[in-house]
Amino acid sequence: SDTLGPFRGRLVAYAGALPFYRQAPEEDRPDFLTNPWYEGAEYGYVYVPASRSPANLHSYRLAVLQLPGDRGATNAPLVYLSGGPGVSAFNGAFLKATLTDVQPVIAINQRGAYLSQPDLFAISVDESTTQLQVRLGGPDGIDFHTINTRDNAADVLDVVSALGYGSFSLWGTSYGTMLAQEVIRQSPDRVDAAVLDGVVTMDQPQWTTIGQTFLDALNALFDDVERHPDA
């Protein structure tokens, strides 16, 4: 299916080889692309397998933003991976636009993030995670086992291939650093270089430790201020 309308949980069957790329029509371009930072940017979708299982019959459509390299840019592209998980990579893409003098920049919105399938957003602030899973799940709905770092990393490799590139560099922030590490693990020969900005280690149970880590950081700051009367 090439339906570009809202995606509300029901998967679509695909025919043919995955992955593949299609540029979005002009009316589908997000409003923020009118910002001068994004001048010349191409917006489109890469279709990837919903699951890498041999029995998979569905695809997800991932939103992809390409900032072309300048005339003298000869390096392989830089792929920007955002944090969260769930934060749009487009939010920080303009910060990487300054690098287009040496390489193209590709921002990938991971599965389930802004403008990418599946739609994992609650319909209201009152909808709980359990209610969302019930609403989007079921035999014709989303398989939540497909929302994971392993498949996210395989998506990155598929997106870069669908755009016609072999090797590439990575810039990951926060959760994007964990994702970048998994991309390297899956295909180290394709990654020329990687920037891990705010590292989350692969063995860290992120959501069970983030609160305590934040508290420890604040207490360390307060202790340091207390030792300096002029602070």
Side-chain angles (χ1 to χ4, degrees):
S1 171
D2 191 34
T3 302
L4 298 179
F7 183 83
R8 295 299 175 191
R10 187 172 296 276
L11 297 178
V12 294
Y14 69 84
L18 294 173
F20 64 88
Y21 171 75
R22 284 186 179 162
Q23 185 174 353
E26 188 64 29
E27 63 271 16
D28 221 38
R29 287 170 63 87
D31 292 340
F32 70 83
L33 291 181
T34 58
N35 187 305
W37 276 106
Y38 299 103
E39 184 176 358
E42 180 174 321
Y43 173 72
Y45 305 103
V46 173
Y47 293 75
V48 298
S51 167
R52 270 71 191 187
S53 164
N56 175 60
L57 293 175
H58 301 106
S59 64
Y60 289 150
R61 189 189 71 198
L62 306 182
V64 177
L65 186 67
Q66 298 182 76
L67 303 176
D70 296 341
R71 183 173 299 178
T74 58
N75 292 336
L78 172 70
V79 177
Y80 173 53
L81 305 176
S82 60
V87 176
S88 171
F90 301 165
N91 291 349
F94 73 94
L95 297 173
K96 314 301 181 286
T98 56
L99 301 175
T100 55
D101 58 338
V102 294
Q103 61 196 146
V105 175
I106 301 170
I108 304 171
N109 272 6
Q110 301 155 29
R111 51 179 64 194
Y114 173 60
L115 298 174
S116 288
Q117 295 175 339
D119 182 356
L120 298 179
F121 291 88
I123 58 177
S124 76
V125 296
D126 298 321
E127 185 176 37
S128 68
T129 300
T130 300
Q131 291 170 329
L132 181 143
Q133 290 178 328
V134 170
R135 177 170 61 85
L136 299 182
D140 297 318
I142 295 168
D143 179 0
F144 287 92
H145 293 97
T146 64
I147 313 299
N148 59 71
T149 300
R150 183 184 61 255
D151 280 306
N152 268 351
D155 288 345
V156 173
L157 297 169
D158 276 352
V159 167
V160 175
S161 295
L163 297 179
Y165 296 105
S167 63
F168 56 94
S169 297
L170 288 169
W171 187 330
T173 58
S174 192
Y175 167 74
T177 68
M178 178 184 288
L179 179 54
Q181 291 171 76
E182 177 62 18
V183 173
I184 296 170
R185 188 193 69 79
Q186 290 189 18
S187 191
D189 56 316
R190 296 186 62 184
V191 180
D192 294 336
V195 176
L196 305 182
D197 186 358
V199 180
V200 179
T201 61
M202 294 293 289
D203 59 351
Q204 178 178 329
Q206 186 177 7
W207 297 112
T208 59
T209 61
I210 192 170
Q212 186 62 50
T213 302
F214 184 57
L215 179 61
D216 291 344
L218 286 178
N219 286 333
L221 173 63
F222 297 152
D223 292 343
D224 190 49
V225 169
E226 191 175 25
R227 287 192 293 268
H228 298 81
D230 296 332

